[in-house]
Amino acid sequence: MDSRIADAMAQDLRHCEAQDFITHYLPTPKEGLVDKVLDSLLAGGVKEPSRTNYTTERSSNCPPIQSPYTFGDLSENSSGAFISKVSESHFERIVGVGERIREVLVQEANLSKSGLSEPLESASCNPHPSQARLHSTPDRRFSFGTAVGDFKVNAFLLEGVLCPHDSGSKLPTHRILVPQFEIARKATKADVRQNRDKLFAAVNSIMNGDARRDFVYGITNEDDRVSLWYFSRTHSVKSSSFSFVKDPDQLVRVLVSLLSASEEDLGLNPNIALYPKKNAHPGFIYRFPGDSASSSRFFKTTGVVQEASSETLSCGTTRVWKAIEVANFEGKALADNLTPKEIIIKDVWIDGPADTEKQIQDKVFKSIDDFVGGPQPWRDHPCLAKFPPSRLDDLETLITNKKYQERFLRIRGRFEGPLSKSVAKDTWASPSIFTQAPVEAVSMSPLKTQRNRSKYQSTSASQVAPVPKSALQFKMSGEIHTEFAPKKRCFFYFDEVCTRVSHVPTFGDAVDILRQASAVLILMFCAGWIHRDISTGNVLAMKESDGKWLLKLADLEYAKEFPSPGQKARGDWKTGTPYFMATELQRGRYLQPQKTLELIEPDSETQTGAAAQLHDVVHNLQHDLESLWWIGFYIGAVKIGHQASELWCRKNAVFQPVIEKNPDAPRHQIMLEGFPEELDAALHPGLTEFMAHWKTLRNNMVVLYQQRSADKVTDKGTYAVIAWHFLKYLGFLEKSRNKWGPIQLVELPGSDESKKRGREEDGAGQAKGVKRGSNQQEDTDDGPSVKRPRVATPTPLQANEEGGDLFRIPKARPTRGGPSSTKSRRSGK
């Protein structure tokens, strides 16, 4: 079993006591229901008095629990290992207990319905238990995706009643509500590791493969000890283990919670349904709730544009679908003999305090309207100071009758879900899940993986003493990477089907789109906004009736005001798509003129200041424009089917899915020093004149970077020259269009663009319910189960998680083996 997925997912893992897990994470049954079930099990002989009065082991935070009962056919031998009097697996015995529990739950629900019992008032309890049941499947195999392989799931809580064992086919994983894995008694360290590897792999496949899942519970059974697991898009939790021989009541509480839960309480989103339900590989129907039930809209997926695919559940969470509108969850057509219009659905998880993409888009539009209609003439903006009056045509066209709105991919409908479950109050990060880790002094702060500083930045009060460097907490380039803040799930739909700038027919078409994009970015900047994630997946286009391509700028979810109101400039340089990220952002420092080296005294603060500069790069307009420059170079070098330039870029790792901080890397040398002779010789001959001007534009960008001092980064007037130069050069290139314009763009294997890096949220708030630096306990897997801590390491960006190119490109599902990133692509990716 490949442990790569488990190692990656362990980065988001917390630990808690079993009782805290049951209280905080499991659904809450009706008051008194657990006691009724326990009494029924005792009366029916499922439980019987134990020959020994056990006291379960608890930490100092939990009082001892006396357990004078045990399951009828289980006992304990003198060595401490448990034995079963029947020749069946542990979970087969538990399945029998589960069936008896379910009978009591059905009986209680019927009594409640008839008025003979108190009504079920708890919102976390299903008044009519679902058809989900426990099943033991010792000979049944399941497929969890090509990245995971095939293996057996010992048992599970299954969606639906029937689970035939005589079928040779593999059971679809979307039917598994709660996977369970067990190992026999006398488990070794390797057994425990393999058992948990399987659970992590299965959960990863279920969460990424089934769009309905908001979270997933899991169970591992190692010897007589049971551990409970919770996996979500924000964090994962493992409970301390307990013995179902010594403490059978604890297991009953867990089973009552799961078997009395609604599907929503088991992690299935109520606004997404399988369709068709009986299909082994069904699609999904999304509901966009309206103000009333009759005003809800339903959309059936017809194809995949972007799958959720990542080794960590907190990354790669965005899905993008092709879909058509239907009348209801049953997939009924809206009208007979009417071909529905294809739309795009974007399904994304964002941090709780963050504005949704729709909210940001509305704010950007309002800011542009205010800028154009404000008391000061828009032509007098400092950023436009270098534009001759006669050369403001591009911007004049955009603001006339609010035409600029047509240059954005407009969101037509949205749904914003509730916050995900917060981290339980008394949890801790423990290295004991896999292998032993050293102790290192670090600072805990709730920063998202692969982000830099944000409002979630830790304060002096959150600095902690040395703590274990665990699977959740690790150092990379001096930063602590972790994420505990609750998220919310949002759906959007778009009624425009677009094409990437890198997949339009000709190089000339692509340059037209880049020119439109530069004008829109300049207008946004004048209105007080920067995009922060310019890539080929966000610079989209639609073909108009006259054959020209109209820009559709997408994904404003990472846009922010510039400069941020009421805040000093902050380092936020880790947001973006590495393929096209500006050099200053990649390196984490401003490009300054070369200075003569000077002697530095030992007590000098110069070195400290230089180190701090790594975190002071502020994303600005020139960075967005440089991303357009990299897109133009990328299309000319990689996307026109010219093998020499494509191979040179691949050999020198110019476009890769990771941030390159090495200043001597070929990518940075292209920007800082110009094109090397080998690259010039490798370029398409038809691009000679185009690339000559593109190289000059590069030179001017470097000069302007070096001329802008760090204290002037937020001065909008310092961007006047680069704004004018960008539009000027793109306009000047029209003179040689006949030479480079007709060159066809093609798709080369393995050349799909990367996805963006992490998002730095600017919303206020701290991660809730997490004690930083306190209660640093070891996982309490007392008993035969063996703990194996591990050292957590940064998860590299995975091979092309991006998926098929945009909506009209025939490729519908993700391509394996190319570049990617830790964050998902959005609409049009």
Side-chain angles (χ1 to χ4, degrees):
M1 169 62 61
D2 189 349
S3 61
R4 184 184 69 253
I5 290 176
D7 290 345
M9 287 176 59
Q11 295 175 18
D12 294 328
L13 186 67
R14 300 291 289 179
H15 296 253
C16 72
E17 295 287 357
Q19 187 56 50
D20 291 332
F21 186 101
I22 292 171
T23 301
H24 185 79
Y25 290 101
L26 288 182
T28 303
K30 173 189 174 182
E31 184 176 357
L33 184 59
V34 173
D35 290 336
K36 288 185 179 181
V37 171
L38 290 172
D39 291 343
S40 177
L41 294 179
L42 182 61
V46 178
K47 283 176 53 183
E48 62 183 33
S50 174
R51 297 175 183 176
T52 304
N53 288 331
Y54 293 109
T55 300
T56 59
E57 300 176 20
R58 288 285 184 266
S59 73
S60 58
N61 295 330
C62 299
I65 297 177
Q66 301 295 327
S67 298
Y69 300 101
T70 185
F71 291 127
D73 57 358
L74 295 176
S75 63
E76 189 174 23
N77 63 18
S78 58
S79 67
F82 79 95
I83 59 173
S84 174
K85 296 178 181 178
V86 292
S87 58
E88 57 185 0
S89 73
H90 318 156
F91 209 83
E92 284 178 312
R93 179 69 186 103
I94 295 174
V95 167
V97 176
E99 280 299 298
R100 177 57 185 154
I101 291 174
R102 192 174 186 281
E103 291 175 8
V104 178
L105 297 178
V106 172
Q107 182 181 23
E108 179 65 21
N110 291 335
L111 290 174
S112 177
K113 184 178 179 181
S114 64
L116 299 178
S117 177
E118 295 181 5
L120 301 179
E121 298 176 354
S122 173
S124 296
C125 182
N126 187 17
H128 301 287
S130 68
Q131 295 298 307
R133 287 184 175 178
L134 292 170
H135 292 270
S136 179
T137 58
D139 299 316
R140 192 68 178 271
R141 299 192 71 86
F142 303 83
S143 177
F144 287 95
T146 56
V148 179
D150 298 339
F151 52 84
K152 295 179 181 179
V153 181
N154 301 103
F156 48 78
L157 186 65
L158 183 69
E159 184 180 41
V161 178
L162 299 177
C163 181
H165 291 273
D166 56 352
S167 173
S169 63
K170 298 170 184 175
L171 189 69
T173 55
H174 63 257
R175 293 190 62 194
I176 300 176
L177 295 178
V178 180
Q180 189 271 352
F181 295 85
E182 69 170 347
I183 28 181
R185 60 193 178 97
K186 298 183 180 180
T188 66
K189 293 181 180 181
D191 292 334
V192 173
R193 171 71 200 230
Q194 185 181 51
N195 205 37
R196 297 178 181 185
D197 282 349
K198 287 182 178 181
L199 175 69
F200 278 58
V203 168
N204 182 283
S205 182
I206 291 170
M207 287 283 284
N208 287 332
D210 188 348
R212 300 173 300 162
R213 308 301 178 115
D214 288 341
F215 59 87
V216 170
Y217 294 113
I219 299 173
T220 50
N221 179 200
E222 294 147 358
D223 285 329
D224 67 321
R225 309 201 64 80
V226 174
S227 296
L228 309 176
W229 304 75
Y230 169 84
F231 301 90
S232 75
R233 295 300 186 182
T234 59
H235 69 286
S236 300
V237 178
K238 177 193 179 297
S239 76
S240 58
S241 64
F242 63 89
S243 169
F244 69 82
V245 173
K246 296 181 179 180
D247 192 2
D249 289 3
Q250 191 82 296
L251 179 61
V252 171
R253 291 184 181 94
V254 171
L255 295 180
V256 170
S257 293
L258 295 176
L259 291 171
S260 65
S262 66
E263 290 186 343
E264 183 175 357
D265 292 328
L266 293 176
L268 298 180
N269 193 294
N271 291 306
I272 307 176
L274 292 174
Y275 182 83
K277 294 181 179 180
K278 295 183 179 181
N279 195 302
H281 302 285
F284 303 94
I285 293 180
Y286 279 71
R287 174 173 58 193
F288 284 75
D291 297 332
S292 63
S294 60
S295 62
S296 296
R297 300 184 68 178
F298 299 82
F299 296 91
K300 179 179 68 175
T301 62
T302 58
V304 178
V305 176
Q306 166 59 39
E307 287 181 323
S309 177
S310 176
E311 290 181 353
T312 57
L313 298 181
S314 59
C315 300
T317 61
T318 298
R319 292 178 170 91
V320 182
W321 305 92
K322 294 180 182 180
I324 57 173
E325 188 168 7
V326 293
N328 50 37
F329 269 143
E330 284 67 48
K332 181 180 178 181
L334 282 176
D336 296 333
N337 302 320
L338 177 66
T339 302
K341 179 182 178 180
E342 189 171 65
I343 59 99
I344 296 297
I345 292 177
K346 178 179 175 182
D347 177 351
V348 62
W349 288 84
I350 64 174
D351 283 358
D355 285 339
T356 66
E357 186 176 353
K358 180 63 167 62
Q359 291 170 322
I360 295 174
Q361 189 176 83
D362 291 342
K363 287 183 178 181
V364 170
F365 289 174
K366 183 180 185 302
S367 295
I368 294 176
D369 291 342
D370 292 344
F371 163 67
V372 174
Q376 299 296 325
W378 66 268
R379 295 172 181 81
D380 295 340
H381 191 279
C383 187
L384 305 179
K386 298 299 182 180
F387 281 71
S390 60
R391 299 301 299 273
L392 289 170
D393 295 348
D394 287 339
L395 297 181
E396 189 81 53
T397 300
L398 288 176
I399 66 176
T400 301
N401 298 323
K402 299 185 180 181
K403 288 289 186 181
Y404 71 87
Q405 295 188 9
E406 298 178 3
R407 302 299 197 274
F408 291 87
L409 186 63
R410 300 289 302 276
I411 297 171
R412 302 301 181 180
R414 69 183 178 93
F415 168 72
E416 181 177 341
L419 288 178
S420 61
K421 194 179 292 292
S422 62
V423 180
K425 181 180 179 180
D426 294 316
T427 67
W428 65 90
S430 170
S432 63
I433 188 66
F434 292 122
T435 57
Q436 185 59 49
V439 174
E440 183 174 351
V442 295
S443 299
M444 279 291 272
S445 63
L447 298 177
K448 179 180 277 187
T449 301
Q450 297 165 347
R451 288 186 194 162
N452 199 28
R453 298 149 58 190
S454 76
K455 281 190 176 178
Y456 301 137
Q457 182 85 17
S458 60
T459 63
S460 58
S462 68
Q463 304 302 307
V464 301
V467 294
K469 183 180 179 184
S470 73
L472 178 68
Q473 180 181 329
F474 58 89
K475 293 181 75 68
M476 184 173 74
S477 304
E479 294 293 329
I480 298 302
H481 301 267
T482 180
E483 168 62 274
F484 300 129
K487 295 182 181 180
K488 55 190 174 186
R489 192 175 188 181
C490 303
F491 310 150
F492 307 98
Y493 71 83
F494 310 80
D495 59 6
E496 296 170 319
V497 178
C498 305
T499 301
R500 289 173 180 266
V501 63
S502 54
H503 288 85
V504 294
T506 69
F507 190 71
D509 294 328
V511 174
D512 288 343
I513 298 166
L514 294 180
R515 177 174 176 173
Q516 296 176 53
S518 63
V520 170
L521 291 174
I522 292 169
L523 179 61
M524 281 181 60
F525 184 73
C526 291
W529 288 84
I530 52 173
H531 189 283
R532 297 206 306 158
D533 189 22
I534 295 299
S535 69
T536 55
N538 298 331
V539 181
L540 313 177
M542 287 187 66
K543 193 171 185 179
E544 298 181 284
S545 57
D546 60 1
K548 295 182 179 180
W549 288 87
L550 182 69
L551 168 74
K552 293 292 180 179
L553 188 63
D555 286 0
L556 290 177
E557 61 181 294
Y558 297 90
K560 76 170 185 178
E561 294 177 270
F562 182 92
S564 298
Q567 298 179 10
K568 294 182 179 180
R570 300 178 301 151
D572 54 3
W573 47 274
K574 284 196 175 183
T575 299
T577 302
Y579 262 45
F580 313 108
M581 191 181 290
T583 301
E584 284 190 343
L585 302 179
Q586 288 259 7
R587 296 178 62 200
R589 63 178 65 215
Y590 293 117
L591 302 183
Q592 299 294 334
Q594 296 296 322
K595 298 179 180 179
T596 303
L597 296 179
E598 299 177 353
L599 293 176
I600 302 176
E601 296 297 329
D603 59 349
S604 171
E605 295 181 359
T606 303
Q607 188 171 0
T608 302
Q613 188 184 52
L614 287 172
H615 306 293
D616 289 339
V617 178
V618 178
H619 205 131
N620 56 61
L621 172 65
Q622 188 163 340
H623 295 145
D624 280 355
L625 294 177
E626 185 185 332
S627 292
L628 290 181
W629 186 91
W630 282 109
I631 291 174
F633 172 65
Y634 171 78
I635 295 174
V638 175
K639 304 295 287 188
I640 62 174
H642 190 64
Q643 190 176 40
S645 58
E646 193 273 335
L647 289 177
W648 190 93
C649 290
R650 180 179 297 181
K651 176 182 177 182
N652 291 277
V654 176
F655 300 102
Q656 57 179 336
V658 293
I659 289 177
E660 178 60 80
K661 289 188 177 181
N662 179 8
D664 297 325
R667 183 189 198 277
H668 298 326
Q669 290 303 303
I670 289 175
M671 177 56 59
L672 299 175
E673 304 294 339
F675 289 15
E677 293 182 2
E678 295 84 356
L679 174 57
D680 269 330
L683 291 171
H684 191 292
L687 293 179
T688 300
E689 193 162 347
F690 176 91
M691 286 298 180
H693 294 296
W694 214 238
K695 288 186 288 186
T696 305
L697 183 57
R698 175 214 63 81
N699 174 81
N700 293 353
M701 283 194 295
V702 174
V703 171
L704 292 171
Y705 275 131
Q706 293 179 343
Q707 290 180 353
R708 184 183 302 108
S709 60
D711 61 337
K712 294 294 184 181
V713 169
T714 57
D715 182 352
K716 293 184 179 180
T718 64
Y719 299 92
V721 175
I722 189 60
W724 162 236
H725 271 246
F726 232 88
L727 284 180
K728 179 181 179 181
Y729 271 81
L730 286 167
F732 186 79
L733 281 166
E734 287 297 310
K735 295 182 178 180
S736 58
R737 185 188 181 93
N738 63 319
K739 298 179 180 178
W740 47 264
I743 298 176
Q744 297 288 311
L745 303 191
V746 300
E747 178 63 20
L748 296 177
S751 64
D752 289 322
E753 297 91 290
S754 170
K755 298 186 303 238
K756 67 171 176 285
R757 295 282 290 193
R759 173 178 183 170
E760 174 218 1
E761 300 302 352
D762 296 316
Q766 291 288 341
K768 300 178 181 179
V770 178
K771 293 182 179 180
R772 303 191 196 106
S774 63
N775 195 23
Q776 303 293 332
Q777 306 180 43
E778 289 293 309
D779 178 25
T780 56
D781 274 342
D782 41 16
S785 299
V786 182
K787 298 177 284 187
R788 295 192 63 195
R790 67 175 290 275
V791 178
T793 55
T795 303
L797 304 180
Q798 305 307 316
N800 185 29
E801 300 161 1
E802 178 170 315
D805 298 304
L806 200 57
F807 316 135
R808 286 181 179 169
I809 303 302
K811 226 176 9 177
R813 299 188 68 83
T815 304
R816 309 289 180 187
S820 101
S821 117
T822 59
K823 277 298 198 181
S824 56
R825 240 351 333 126
R826 283 86 50 210
S827 169
K829 301 351 163 238

